[in-house]
Amino acid sequence: MRLFLAVSSLLAFSLGCALGEGEEKDAAPRADADADTDTDADSDADSDADSDADSDADSDADADADTDADTDRDDDGDGLTNAEEAELGTDADEADSDGDGEEDGAELEAGTNPTWEWSHVYAEGDYLVGDCPTPPDARSAGPTGTGSYDTSTWDAYQEGDIFDNFEATDRFGQEVTPYTFCGNYTLVTMAAEWCGPCQDLAGSMAAETEDVRAEYPNFTFYEFLYQDNYGAEPDEDVLRSWNRAFDLQGIPVVAPADNTAAWINYLNASGGIPATLLLAPDMTVIWSGVDHPREYYLYDSSSIMDAIADYER
């Protein structure tokens, strides 16, 4: 059963010697011929051995700084050496390279991505945050398919589309957006508090998650609850209640700030709920109701794993 809704100076230098003024051409040769100006057989070069003629912080004249000793330093105090930062592509002068509130060393230890602002540990929720090895091209994100119901049509995501990073908050008041899970297979589910079939799907999510993770450990649901029992945006109390009722520990249950925003329809190919979209680790849509009009939505672990297997072939 499904419910249907209305659609809304490279640096260079030179050294030179010149005869002094008035010096005789037939001046007697130096007794020690050692390139110094006295007769102590000690070259004047001794006094220059420690000079830095090229001002490059090293003691030779190759204009390359002696940085070997610097690689073991941790200039920004984030727990990573400068050499490690160079390998990771993080900023050795900035403890939090991506500006997400977590220091680079802490992110690496937690398994999140210190160069992807959406990948970080949350204070609450115990979510399976992705490390996002291949960030999506957000400039190309958006739906290219068409959803339909009766005589109405609208823009909707289809397979191959890059998913948008829309804003949503969880039951703790944290902003938990889809790109948080880049690096995982993510099943986005669109639901409403008043929807019976949505409740049925939510009730099986914990078990389905366990089943799918046995084969694909980097899998998570992303439950998008867009209406409460009165058609309004769900508040934190509603999200907490939904989470408790269906034992959705570790599964993000989120709500939009405005459930009349046009992008909400993009999630729904047929006008009915629940609606689902399966995302690849790079946030590309790999299953959509636009491409599977008779299946409506992915409803169990077998269908989810089949869709992932089809994508990986």
Side-chain angles (χ1 to χ4, degrees), residues 3-230:
L3 300 182
F4 288 82
L5 314 173
V7 177
S8 40
S9 188
L10 168 64
L11 176 64
F13 68 92
S14 61
L15 300 177
C17 297
L19 291 174
E21 289 183 10
E23 184 175 3
E24 297 180 5
K25 294 181 180 180
D26 58 349
R30 295 170 178 154
D32 55 1
D34 67 353
D36 66 345
T37 56
D38 54 23
T39 58
D40 62 0
D42 293 323
S43 173
D44 289 340
D46 294 344
S47 62
D48 298 332
D50 296 326
S51 69
D52 182 10
D54 55 3
S55 302
D56 65 355
D58 67 352
S59 56
D60 55 25
D62 61 3
D64 294 321
D66 292 334
T67 59
D68 291 346
D70 296 345
T71 59
D72 292 331
R73 296 202 322 242
D74 177 9
D75 287 347
D76 56 8
D78 63 358
L80 300 176
T81 66
N82 293 353
E84 290 172 326
E85 300 244 29
E87 184 176 355
L88 289 167
T90 53
D91 188 342
D93 296 319
E94 178 58 60
D96 179 12
S97 294
D98 57 9
D100 63 2
E102 296 287 335
E103 292 192 355
D104 299 344
E107 290 213 52
L108 193 64
E109 184 176 351
T112 58
N113 188 339
T115 65
W116 179 244
E117 62 180 306
W118 306 107
S119 174
H120 59 84
V121 174
Y122 284 86
E124 304 282 355
D126 195 27
Y127 302 137
L128 184 66
V129 176
D131 60 355
C132 199
T134 308
D137 182 2
R139 297 169 300 179
S140 300
T144 64
T146 300
S148 64
Y149 174 68
D150 198 9
T151 60
S152 300
T153 60
W154 58 92
D155 293 336
Y157 289 107
Q158 64 180 348
E159 292 175 13
D161 289 344
I162 299 174
F163 202 64
D164 286 294
N165 194 34
F166 57 75
E167 296 181 1
T169 55
D170 68 1
R171 68 189 192 275
F172 305 107
Q174 303 171 130
E175 183 180 19
V176 184
T177 68
Y179 283 12
T180 293
F181 304 99
C182 176
N184 299 328
Y185 285 106
T186 304
L187 188 65
V188 179
T189 60
M190 181 179 181
E193 185 183 21
W194 48 262
C195 166
C198 301
Q199 295 169 15
D200 292 340
L201 180 59
S204 67
M205 278 186 187
E208 306 297 350
T209 297
E210 185 176 351
D211 288 346
V212 177
R213 285 183 181 173
E215 185 71 23
Y216 302 99
N218 61 329
F219 170 79
T220 187
F221 277 94
Y222 182 86
E223 176 83 313
F224 180 67
L225 199 67
Y226 85 108
Q227 284 186 349
D228 65 11
N229 282 331
Y230 307 98

